[in-house]
Amino acid sequence: MESPVDLCFTEEGCSHDIVLEKQVFRSKVPESHVQLACNLHYCAFPLNGNELCIWNTGNSPAHHQPLHLVGHHHSITALAFGSKINPLLVCSASCDYVIVWNLDECTKKALQGLMPRGIVIGTLLGMVLYVRFSPDDQAVAVCAGNRIYMLNNEAILTELEGHLAPVTAAEFCTWERNMLISVSEDRSFKVWDYCTGLLIYQSAVLTAFPLLSLFIDEENKQIITGCADGQLWIFSLLSGHQYRCVVHINLKKEREKFYSKTGKSRQQLDQIQKFSKLYSTNDMRPEETVETTLPVLRIEHCDQSINLVNARCLWIGSSTGLFIINLANFELEAVLHYKGTIIKYLITVFCLLTSMFENTIALLEINLAALMRSQQSDFLLCGKEKSSSYFNAGMKSTMKDQSLVFHSKIKSSGYTTAPQMTMFSPKTNLKKNNKISEWKNSCKRHTLLTTHKLVGNLFTGDGELLACGLADKSLLVFNSNLTGRPAVFSGHDGAVNSVGWSHDKRWLVSASEDRTLRIWSVRSTEPALFLGKEMFHKSIRFAQFYYIDTFILLCCGAEFHLLSYYLDTSKDDLKRYKQKSICKSVQKFPMASTVEITSLSAINDFYSYIILAAGSNRTLEVFDLNAGCSAAVIPDAHSRSVHQICQNKGSAFSTQPLEAYNLFMTTATGDGIKLWDLRTLRCERRFEGHINRCHPCGIAVTPCGQFIACGSEDKSAYIYEMRSSTFSHKLAGHTESVINVAFSPSSPQRSPMSILLLFLAVFHLCFLGQR
């Protein structure tokens, strides 16, 4: 046993203790492939093969000597603490015995000079890889070979057989009675009723590599499993979700993203490693670096009360380092590297390590706050040093303008809180009777529209009219109750790319592939303003009214334009074809290092200086038109180019907390939906579950800011709660991919009844437009 070693990291002249080596134990044999155990006060590990060592993690001098328990003849391969504190039990397993020890009784006997003894509950079960106590400590699940034995007082309660390879981990589901979940080297997981021995669910083969670890997230009711190739899967255990996959995480890719965001963190981590005699080896030249596979050996909860991220996090232990992953956005928050060791258990901020090349076991104490502070993400902030460059938070005009700055402490907007609302199941068995006509009359107040074969749809601010741009070069304007024939606006020579209403509902702006922009009067099907091909060298991808109808905002190529305009629909009888409306370019804003702007977003319902742009180089850029320059750049926002940015702008019929207007969503093909915060420029949550592999499926946020809707390629629309990363409802009924969705701004969904009416209003707009 060696004295503690303090590993320090110095940044800008301040010393921050990140890792403290509490104790190092020397063993006669390697202990590198053993399930170790920790709880809040103790850690358990094998010593010299068949000897069980219990160490108190407290600082009291009376507990500096470990408790040694002897009873096995073969090497101990698995350890676990019980679920209860009084009495505190610990289970040890080897090829010969499975023994349960009462820690309080063993401590008393050791103080009396007697030999502590445990209770043998299993004999000659074979190679045991994992043990786990049941929630009431009345049974122990023992993973030996391809089987799981449920043991209790020398009796085998049940024997779970079905895996085709050794079982590597098993966990009890605390909220479901008699449920046990197991993972195996056969690359699948199984759900059991361990009292009856019945198999409830069996997954397909997930990967080409063995599954090594398992963790149950009780708060979100999910399971997280990791494999030998650094892959993580999260599955939902909620009733009705049918064990669907919530997200798949590639730890190696997330690590590379983390390095790209924090350019100096890798050098900082290398500096930390130089102080450690246990983890450091001779410095290797770059050409001698060995690429590792990052096997996920352990998954444990990260204490939220001491981390600096306003979200639940997990510790991921691998053979090369520790990783902290955010369960809201599924990105890495911190990385701590070591060499020549295997992580076997994590609890709170204590880490128990065994060495692959030395017969040593180490107990580390990690200062999580210091680790997180040392690896904060660095974003390129343009103009931040200038005192005049502020972000306008974009509040409504009736409120006092508030500036958005980058403070160290940010008040939460509520997207990390657990979902507070239980949503309903939509009714799909409605018969064609008088209730349909009654329901149509209420659609003006509660409407969610999902469309296919459309390039855009948009409600007016009062929710009375709906405009849709079609790929057949025309525009349709419906009443919100979808009664009567729609007004048809034609004149474009290419597919309509964008549609936007004016704030006063009198005008409609459209942009097309034919490189033209038209402004239409709602009362006339002839354009009031026409901008031809001579003004734009490429197709106009996006156009809208901006700054409460003061300007027109559009993007073309790698820049977006700010135009001032004057509209006059009167006609001269002699010069009927000469328009009196005029338009003038105010300024152009180029987006750096991109070929084309793929999405643009701004708010017209109230005064806001913020413009959000996404480029073909996968970059997000924030422009402050008050300062007239780019304010911030977010590189690699998605794995592919962003095809839509959706800002949370609320409506005149609902109010939200002021902080909520700083949120916006982005989506990209094959990379789900991300929720961002303008104050931190961080991805705060990620939404996955819908299918979006090739079509640019659209997204929308409710006026109350509590729900997100998106289209999907499986002919359905999906509804997500803002505080949950998995979808809450799937709305089927379309015959083709749903590529656009929209909420009516006049229906703030705050009660289950209003949401019920909301989800019933699903129509095939293409069919209605052709009717």
Side-chain angles (χ1 to χ4, degrees), residues 721-739:
E721 293 186 56
M722 189 73 79
R723 302 180 180 95
S724 177
S725 296
T726 182
F727 66 86
S728 56
H729 285 84
K730 177 182 178 180
L731 308 179
H734 283 282
T735 57
E736 294 184 12
S737 298
V738 178
I739 62 172

Side-chain angles (χ1 to χ4, degrees), residues 210 239 601 616 716 733 746:
S239 178
S601 178
S616 56
S716 303
S746 61

Side-chain angles (χ1 to χ4, degrees), residues 178-192:
N178 304 331
M179 180 182 287
L180 180 75
I181 303 171
S182 62
V183 295
S184 167
E185 292 183 5
D186 63 8
R187 301 159 293 164
S188 68
F189 73 89
K190 288 179 168 57
V191 182
W192 311 84

